Amino acid sequence: MSAISALLIPPSSSLPLLPPPQSFFFSLPAPLVCLYKPPTAFFSAPKPQLRLLPRRALSGRDETAEASVSTATIAVDNAESPDATAFVIRARNWIGLLQVITRVFKILGLRIERATIEVEGEFFVKRFLVVDSHGAKIEDPESLDRIERALRDAIDGAADRTPAGPGTARLGSRSLVVRRAGLVPESGEGKAKAERMFSLMDGFLKNDPISLQKDILDHVEYTVARSRFSFDDFEAYQAVSHSVRDRLIERWHDTHAYFKRKDPKRLYFFSLEFLMGRSLSNSVINLGVRDQYADALNQLGFEFEVLAEQEGDAAQGNGGLARLSACQMDSLATMDFPAWGYGLRYQYGLFRQVILDGFQHEQPDYWLNFGNPWEIERIHVSYAVKFYGTVEEQDLNGGKRKVWVPGEMVEAVAYDNPIPGYGTRNTINLRLWAAKPSDLYDMESYGTGDYINAVINRQKAETISSVLYPDDRSYQGKELRLKQQYFFVSASVQDIIRRFKDSLNDFNQFPEKVALQLNDTHPSLAIPEVMRVLVDEEFLSWKQAWDIVCKIFSCTTHTVVPEGLEKIPVDLLGSVLPRHLQIIFDINFSFMEELKKHFGLDFNRLSQMSIVEEGAVKSIRMANLSIVCCHTVNGVSRVHLDILKTKVFKDFYELWPQKFHYKTNGVTQRRWLVVSNPGLCGLISKWLGTDAWIRDMDLLMGLRDHAGDAELQQEWKMVRRINKIRLAEFIDAMTGMMVSPDAMFDVQIKRIHEYKRQLLNILGIIYRYDCIKNMKESDRRKVVPRVCIIGGKAAPGYDMAKKIIKLCHAVGETINNDSDIDDLLKLVFIPDFNVSVAELVIPGSDLSQHISTAGHEASGTGSMKFLMNGCLLLATADGATIEIIEEIGEDNMFLFGAKVHEVPKLREKAENHRVALQFARVLSQICLGWYVMATLAMRITSNLSVTLLKGVVTSIS
């Protein structure tokens, strides 16, 4: 499946496919379910789909006792208009009827061309001329019948709002039934009070400008605690965010109530990182209320765009893995999956990058200083997480059981973040855990007067969820990293098992209700944790627990080289998690015995595949643990899967070929087009005649029919120029450098790493600068002015990456201050690059560079974001780029460098390779001090390893 045409990750047929939760004012009727197409398979072991019950059956009410005759009539007329189908609806009018009808058409992908309303006594006659997503009238009798039935069910269902007797109340448009034993007396004052309460709860918050303004001003006064007559932009942002969150919570509650009632198999997505970015714009677009909020704020004297800029980034991750997690949650919500995300709530998140004299300095990112209006603290949802201690044996029913006696306990407190889907009421949950000190140890310290120890215990506990990516070059750093990984999986597993036991007690049904997806190997400690809970606490046999574990886990790996696989020293793991080390040893023993049956005493292969790595430092191979226990192992692109099969996990693939699959990483067009580039979004919707492409990107193929239209081309150019002007203003504000929007914007934005080859880009810029300097004046007039933009952060402990940033600034200082070349070439480094900056840079880019050494990029989703914004790509045939080439054709991008299969051969010849004279000249210029801070640049050049030179030199061709 193409990375462009596919959604983020195809969902699982092993999960019961649910119809979308209730639409705007009604439950999704059965005819709509017939039109719902199930997506492709992801997990193994398919399960039966859930049948959508009628709303009365879903609520448990007696349908026969409530049968009523509809007063609405619906007629279809295809003769009235030559280019549209007429639907004539005659019904009693009530508030929200028009929204119900238009919502049905929108869900079915239909467009209303014209509409009229006539009054006949107490009835309204509404006439709609409708076309399909291609602008054609609907003539298929089966489709017309389905649309008519969908309209009828929606109108009748939404109009039915009467309570069903004592103890029951229908919550208006939410179509939920609430029963509480003893809550509603048969008669008297208690019944009147209860009915009053239910009437107050009836209906959703309204989204008209007046209602929105009232909600915003109420939050200004009662939540932000400012006078509604005097508040600034940031306070207005806080109030707007809380009002949007109110609407998210409505859908969120309904979603969870629906799934609790249906009790489907749930998907739990474990990731140590979620790079969510800003939430306001994305939320209002997914809720479908962006224009309403803009109008309401405009009448109050505020601009929505200005308020959206007040929000800080939720930098709870770094790079593609973290963005994948965020896009995954958006797609799961949009595709109506019963899913949960689990991770850590970092107090400081990714560091804030500050550039001083060209050097990167890291400062804490105090993103929570002013609170986070999108999260809901769940003080009552907390679990004890154990560390250290010893493992003892106790007698149980004539046998022995292991008991872990911890030496330290920390409380995990839940913080929930509603994630709305687009075009659906489905709103799922991202639950992040924060570490707090155990009340038990706090009280002991205070009770004995040991206040210093109480403070130390608090600091030690809170450190676990304080910093993303602690420097793990020291033992203390490795220990903290291990505690972070276990802390979040332990709390999450306890939460999942608690939810399962709320409705079931038979753990044989656990695989039918739970699917655990691990995003890389960071959460793989969840495997021994589930084993520990099932065996030690739920008293299942080892075989029964192992069978369950092998059915519920699947994982995605992002690694391309064996050296990058995660390993945990045995001594460290045994100290922090003694019981888990025992379980891992037991798993490995059973696995080794099984391998001997397959391969005999092939000790070399047994050593390579063992979960336990022997050596100077005995370690646990977390990737091997994941492969042994998971039923599915996913690569993140087709070429990545080939690397896994032939290099990284070759032995495992030969043993279990059925386990290995690939699901090409993707991005959400809602974030990277609708939010970040509204001008282009509007243009696409205009020329396609529909905005259905926001859910189905295959519809973008329709633009090909208009590609040669001069009017479209002119509008496209205008959108691009506006975005470039906006980017130029941002560069001026951030760096003080003025750049021309008429120049080509040549962009490379990604984390700084040797394999990403920002260094190669900088060497190319130096070469371009040298060429321009030596040109005749007549030749210079033919040069297209170019602004080279680089952005990204280097890991705090990654010295080479930091030196690359310094070299970029040294070269930029020379080029940008050379009046001889003027605006023909500029080099800009954008500091503190994050998701919000990317949303500004990507729409204004003309050329984007993705030049990683072929075979080193597992997927690479940045190219997709640029491509969907109409940017040209300069890229190596690596990762997902290969699938992009198949989708758009080689003629529509610039291919660069060696192919994956060519790189090993070039590496073999690299030591005897004679570099091009142009390349040697560039290096000599750096060494001879042509640029600012030449001595540092010389140090960088001298540190270029043979491997790096191979990658630089051999891939220029």
Side-chain angles (χ1 to χ4, degrees):
M1 179 177 292
S2 164
I4 299 300
S5 60
L7 283 171
L8 176 66
I9 289 183
S12 164
S13 60
S14 69
L15 293 170
L17 293 180
L18 295 171
Q22 302 151 7
S23 297
F24 198 75
F25 275 98
F26 56 97
S27 300
L28 189 67
L32 286 187
V33 180
C34 300
L35 301 178
Y36 176 67
K37 297 181 180 179
T40 57
F42 178 40
F43 296 95
S44 62
K47 307 296 176 188
Q49 297 184 13
L50 289 181
R51 179 174 61 90
L52 180 65
L53 299 175
R55 189 148 49 102
R56 293 182 180 87
L58 191 150
S59 65
R61 296 173 64 181
D62 185 356
E63 190 169 356
T64 58
E66 299 183 30
S68 60
V69 180
S70 171
T71 57
T73 60
I74 302 172
V76 181
D77 186 356
N78 253 326
E80 180 173 333
S81 171
D83 54 1
T85 300
F87 288 87
V88 183
I89 302 170
R90 183 177 183 274
R92 296 181 185 275
N93 194 44
W94 41 269
I95 297 174
L97 174 60
L98 188 59
Q99 288 176 300
V100 168
I101 297 170
T102 56
R103 185 68 173 172
V104 171
F105 287 134
K106 184 174 181 180
I107 286 179
L108 295 178
L110 307 177
R111 188 173 76 243
I112 300 173
E113 294 289 286
R114 296 184 298 279
T116 60
I117 299 178
E118 300 175 0
V119 180
E120 293 182 1
E122 61 181 3
F123 287 87
F124 277 66
V125 179
K126 306 175 190 288
R127 185 181 304 271
F128 300 88
L129 293 178
V130 177
V131 296
D132 63 19
S133 60
H134 301 289
K137 66 191 303 183
I138 305 143
E139 297 180 317
D140 176 48
E142 185 178 351
S143 297
L144 290 171
D145 182 61
R146 286 181 175 176
I147 296 168
E148 181 180 348
R149 283 189 286 121
L151 286 167
R152 188 179 306 281
D153 285 359
I155 294 170
D156 292 348
D160 176 20
R161 301 182 178 184
T162 57
T168 303
R170 184 177 297 277
L171 303 187
S173 55
R174 301 195 198 191
S175 303
L176 297 179
V177 172
V178 178
R179 286 189 179 89
R180 294 290 184 271
L183 177 64
V184 184
E186 292 297 326
S187 60
E189 184 180 354
K191 180 178 179 180
K193 289 180 178 179
E195 290 177 348
R196 173 61 177 163
M197 180 184 70
F198 286 128
S199 68
L200 291 173
M201 295 166 62
D202 189 16
F204 285 104
L205 293 171
K206 297 178 181 178
N207 294 321
D208 60 278
I210 299 299
S211 299
L212 292 177
Q213 288 168 5
K214 182 181 184 304
D215 289 348
I216 292 169
L217 293 177
D218 282 348
H219 278 296
V220 166
E221 189 148 7
Y222 303 124
T223 304
V224 185
R226 296 287 294 173
S227 168
R228 64 179 63 200
F229 303 107
S230 176
F231 55 98
D232 59 22
D233 287 343
F234 180 72
E235 291 155 353
Y237 153 73
Q238 290 182 305
V240 169
S241 298
H242 279 96
S243 72
V244 174
R245 193 186 76 167
D246 291 345
R247 286 151 177 81
L248 287 175
I249 289 174
E250 286 184 330
R251 299 181 178 214
W252 188 44
H253 284 158
D254 289 353
T255 299
H256 289 301
Y258 176 83
F259 287 136
K260 186 172 183 178
R261 186 172 288 112
K262 301 298 292 182
D263 193 25
K265 185 175 186 177
R266 288 177 169 89
L267 167 63
Y268 297 102
F269 184 77
F270 281 25
S271 179
L272 201 59
E273 304 176 46
F274 287 90
L275 191 54
M276 303 302 294
R278 293 171 174 169
S279 295
L280 177 57
S281 294
N282 193 69
S283 295
V284 296
I285 285 172
N286 280 10
L287 290 173
V289 293
R290 199 271 182 205
D291 292 340
Q292 294 92 318
Y293 266 96
D295 291 343
L297 289 168
N298 187 260
Q299 294 174 26
L300 291 174
F302 294 92
E303 294 184 28
F304 180 85
E305 293 79 6
V306 173
L307 299 191
E309 289 296 319
Q310 303 299 313
E311 183 176 2
D313 268 41
Q316 301 284 282
N318 178 37
L321 182 147
R323 270 308 305 166
L324 168 68
S325 302
C327 292
Q328 171 83 304
M329 295 302 295
D330 179 273
S331 293
L332 287 170
T334 298
M335 298 178 74
D336 300 303
F337 274 83
W340 284 66
Y342 282 106
L344 266 182
R345 179 184 181 265
Y346 299 100
Q347 184 176 352
Y348 298 111
L350 191 61
F351 63 87
R352 180 169 168 261
Q353 183 189 53
V354 176
I355 304 297
L356 298 175
D357 193 26
F359 291 96
Q360 170 182 295
H361 293 266
E362 301 89 30
Q363 294 183 356
D365 178 15
Y366 298 104
W367 75 287
L368 289 173
N369 266 11
F370 298 99
N372 178 14
W374 304 103
E375 68 182 10
I376 298 128
E377 184 178 16
R378 299 293 198 187
I379 297 295
H380 62 286
V381 181
S382 65
Y383 300 97
V385 179
K386 308 171 186 178
F387 296 104
Y388 307 110
T390 58
V391 180
E392 300 176 353
E393 279 194 351
Q394 293 182 356
D395 294 327
L396 178 67
N397 298 329
K400 298 288 186 181
R401 64 181 288 259
K402 298 292 179 66
V403 177
W404 180 14
V405 181
E408 178 182 299
M409 293 180 66
V410 176
E411 288 294 318
V413 178
Y415 287 78
D416 289 345
N417 300 261
I419 308 294
Y422 178 85
T424 174
R425 295 198 64 83
N426 193 42
T427 301
I428 61 177
N429 193 33
L430 171 60
R431 175 160 286 179
L432 304 178
W433 301 102
K436 307 291 183 183
S438 169
D439 292 339
L440 173 64
Y441 290 99
D442 258 9
M443 290 306 298
E444 285 181 357
S445 297
Y446 280 114
T448 58
D450 189 0
Y451 308 121
I452 301 299
N453 193 45
V455 172
I456 292 174
N457 286 337
R458 173 171 290 276
Q459 290 177 339
K460 283 174 60 179
E462 294 178 347
T463 299
I464 293 175
S465 59
S466 288
V467 181
L468 171 68
Y469 281 133
D471 189 345
D472 59 0
R473 289 177 293 182
S474 66
Y475 179 88
Q476 292 79 6
K478 289 183 173 66
E479 183 181 51
L480 176 57
R481 180 79 171 192
L482 174 60
K483 292 177 77 172
Q484 285 184 335
Q485 293 177 359
Y486 176 68
F487 171 80
F488 108 82
V489 301
S490 173
S492 303
V493 167
Q494 291 182 70
D495 197 45
I496 292 166
I497 290 178
R498 186 269 309 162
R499 187 173 299 111
F500 170 79
K501 292 174 71 174
D502 282 347
S503 56
L504 297 168
N505 289 314
D506 182 5
F507 275 94
N508 289 319
Q509 297 182 11
F510 199 63
E512 307 299 320
K513 296 298 181 182
V514 172
L516 293 175
Q517 173 72 21
L518 309 180
N519 190 23
D520 216 6
T521 59
H522 309 135
S524 54
L525 284 169
I527 294 168
E529 173 66 1
V530 172
M531 284 294 297
R532 184 191 68 81
V533 172
L534 294 181
V535 173
D536 295 354
E537 298 181 3
E538 300 298 336
F539 310 125
L540 272 64
S541 69
W542 178 272
K543 183 181 184 304
Q544 185 181 6
W546 179 246
D547 288 343
I548 291 172
V549 165
C550 291
K551 291 176 181 178
I552 64 175
F553 279 102
S554 59
C555 73
T556 297
T557 178
H558 299 258
T559 308
V560 293
V561 291
E563 302 81 72
L565 297 173
E566 184 181 18
K567 300 174 185 177
I568 301 176
V570 165
D571 290 343
L572 174 62
L573 187 60
S575 170
V576 179
L577 303 171
R579 179 61 178 134
H580 296 75
L581 182 61
Q582 291 179 350
I583 291 172
I584 291 172
F585 280 158
D586 290 342
I587 292 173
N588 191 57
F589 176 80
S590 300
F591 176 53
M592 288 293 100
E593 293 302 309
E594 181 183 343
L595 280 186
K596 290 174 185 177
K597 296 177 184 177
H598 283 83
F599 303 119
L601 299 180
D602 185 347
F603 292 110
N604 184 53
R605 176 171 286 196
L606 294 177
S607 174
Q608 292 296 324
M609 299 179 72
S610 174
I611 297 172
V612 181
E613 181 184 56
E614 304 292 343
V617 179
K618 192 173 183 179
S619 302
I620 301 299
R621 297 170 171 143
M622 303 308 291
N624 290 20
L625 174 65
S626 298
I627 296 173
V628 169
C629 301
C630 292
H631 60 74
T632 302
V633 179
N634 293 313
V636 292
S637 68
R638 189 172 66 229
V639 69
H640 183 225
L641 178 63
D642 292 338
I643 293 171
L644 296 180
K645 294 192 299 186
T646 58
K647 290 172 56 179
V648 184
F649 301 128
K650 181 176 182 295
D651 292 329
F652 283 102
Y653 177 71
E654 292 176 359
L655 177 64
W656 293 314
Q658 74 281 0
K659 280 193 178 187
F660 289 83
H661 306 270
Y662 79 92
K663 300 292 181 291
T664 301
N665 282 357
V667 299
T668 166
Q669 65 271 30
R670 290 167 288 280
R671 165 77 65 176
W672 297 108
L673 250 180
V674 182
V675 172
S676 64
N677 199 346
L680 183 57
C681 173
L683 184 148
I684 292 173
S685 296
K686 170 188 172 183
W687 284 90
L688 289 180
T690 178
D691 61 2
W693 62 270
I694 299 175
R695 279 183 66 107
D696 182 6
M697 285 199 72
D698 286 341
L699 294 177
L700 292 179
M701 299 288 285
L703 289 175
R704 288 182 174 178
D705 299 335
H706 310 286
D709 194 299
E711 183 181 353
L712 169 61
Q713 294 173 359
Q714 187 60 36
E715 292 178 4
W716 190 287
K717 290 178 182 178
M718 183 59 65
V719 168
R720 171 57 55 82
R721 181 164 181 81
I722 291 172
N723 289 329
K724 291 182 69 174
I725 292 173
R726 191 171 58 142
L727 176 55
E729 292 174 348
F730 175 77
I731 291 173
D732 183 24
M734 293 298 294
T735 68
M737 184 188 303
M738 298 185 66
V739 297
S740 171
D742 295 321
M744 176 192 292
F745 285 2
D746 180 350
V747 177
Q748 187 183 26
I749 47 172
K750 47 188 79 243
R751 61 190 174 91
I752 309 298
H753 200 287
E754 289 166 90
Y755 90 85
K756 301 281 189 182
R757 298 203 292 193
Q758 287 93 347
L759 176 60
L760 179 59
N761 187 13
I762 296 169
L763 296 178
I765 293 169
I766 294 173
Y767 174 70
R768 183 181 299 275
Y769 171 65
D770 186 44
C771 290
I772 296 174
K773 287 286 288 183
N774 290 288
M775 279 183 184
K776 297 178 182 179
E777 189 61 35
S778 57
D779 292 331
R780 288 190 182 184
R781 295 194 202 96
K782 302 175 185 177
V783 175
V784 175
R786 183 182 298 235
V787 177
C788 299
I789 301 171
I790 296 176
K793 296 179 179 180
Y798 194 174
D799 292 335
M800 188 60 183
K802 289 186 172 183
K803 291 176 181 178
I804 292 172
I805 292 175
K806 175 57 186 176
L807 178 63
C808 178
H809 283 86
V811 173
E813 188 168 344
T814 299
I815 294 175
N816 299 335
N817 291 302
D818 190 341
S819 59
D820 184 37
I821 66 168
D822 198 26
D823 286 338
L824 290 181
L825 184 64
K826 298 290 184 185
L827 174 57
V828 178
F829 185 89
I830 297 180
D832 202 31
F833 180 76
N834 55 31
V835 175
S836 299
V837 174
E839 291 174 6
L840 194 65
V841 173
I842 290 173
S845 303
D846 295 306
L847 178 68
S848 176
Q849 296 200 27
H850 307 270
I851 55 175
S852 61
T853 305
H856 284 67
E857 191 71 79
S859 179
T861 55
S863 55
M864 303 177 192
K865 300 166 191 172
F866 282 96
L867 191 62
M868 67 171 57
N869 279 273
C871 179
L872 294 172
L873 301 184
L874 171 65
T876 50
D878 194 18
T881 303
I882 294 176
E883 294 162 66
I884 292 176
I885 294 170
E886 295 173 358
E887 186 76 15
I888 69 174
E890 289 189 21
D891 294 342
N892 291 312
M893 66 182 299
F894 301 104
L895 283 177
F896 173 84
K899 306 293 192 297
V900 173
H901 66 278
E902 298 171 341
V903 170
K905 299 176 183 178
L906 292 171
R907 289 189 189 279
E908 293 175 3
K909 302 176 182 177
E911 291 190 16
N912 300 318
H913 182 76
R914 296 185 62 182
V915 300
L917 291 176
Q918 298 93 326
F919 180 73
R921 176 179 171 83
V922 168
L923 291 184
S924 66
Q925 287 176 358
I926 297 174
C927 294
L928 293 173
W930 282 35
Y931 302 98
V932 179
M933 294 295 291
T935 54
L936 176 83
M938 288 174 65
R939 250 195 335 269
I940 294 176
T941 306
S942 66
N943 286 338
L944 285 174
S945 63
V946 173
T947 302
L948 180 58
L949 276 172
K950 290 176 186 175
V952 171
V953 175
T954 60
S955 299
I956 292 179
S957 61

